[in-house]
Amino acid sequence: MAEPIPEPEPQIYADFPHFQGAQQADCGSEACWTSPVAGSWRGAAQSLQNNLEAQGYILNNITGEVLSTETGVRIYRVAKEGEDPYYLNLVSVDDGILYSLTPAPLSQDRLVALQAL
């Protein structure tokens, strides 16, 4: 009798609508993606927020609640009906933006480390 084929593990955040052209990056413990942006990272963050909200996501910018600085960083609490909320941690990097999806906001130290990647 053949061994049953195990079901693949569900990909966490598999339904998240990533930036166009986003590439998965190695950030250590978190799943991260990088994306080149045209113009400023703030414009890219606003564009992402508008895109997610148009698809039924509810985003709350909690950067000021978590960090003492907002330079090059945005943290959003992301919620969608029927899904557990999670956090979109977005940092400005040399060639665009880097973002990760996590069950809790990343610490300021971790975000600074991601900016240095």
Side-chain angles (χ1 to χ4, degrees), residues 13-20 22 47-48 51-57 59 78 80 83 86 88 99 101:
Y13 316 120
D15 295 334
F16 185 81
H18 292 281
F19 275 99
Q20 186 171 354
S47 176
L48 178 65
N51 183 32
L52 289 170
E53 288 174 346
Q55 295 182 50
Y57 289 85
L59 273 74
V78 180
K80 189 169 186 181
E83 297 179 5
Y86 53 91
L88 169 62
Y99 61 98
L101 304 169

Side-chain angles (χ1 to χ4, degrees), residues 68-117:
S68 60
T69 180
E70 291 191 27
T71 305
V73 176
R74 289 284 184 275
I75 301 173
Y76 297 98
R77 182 178 186 273
V78 180
K80 189 169 186 181
E81 191 162 326
E83 297 179 5
D84 290 334
Y86 53 91
Y87 295 87
L88 169 62
N89 306 274
L90 186 143
V91 296
S92 170
V93 293
D94 285 344
D95 54 354
I97 57 167
L98 181 142
Y99 61 98
S100 66
L101 304 169
T102 55
L106 294 179
S107 69
Q108 185 163 332
D109 289 345
R110 184 66 185 133
L111 290 163
V112 168
L114 290 177
Q115 280 184 304
L117 289 179

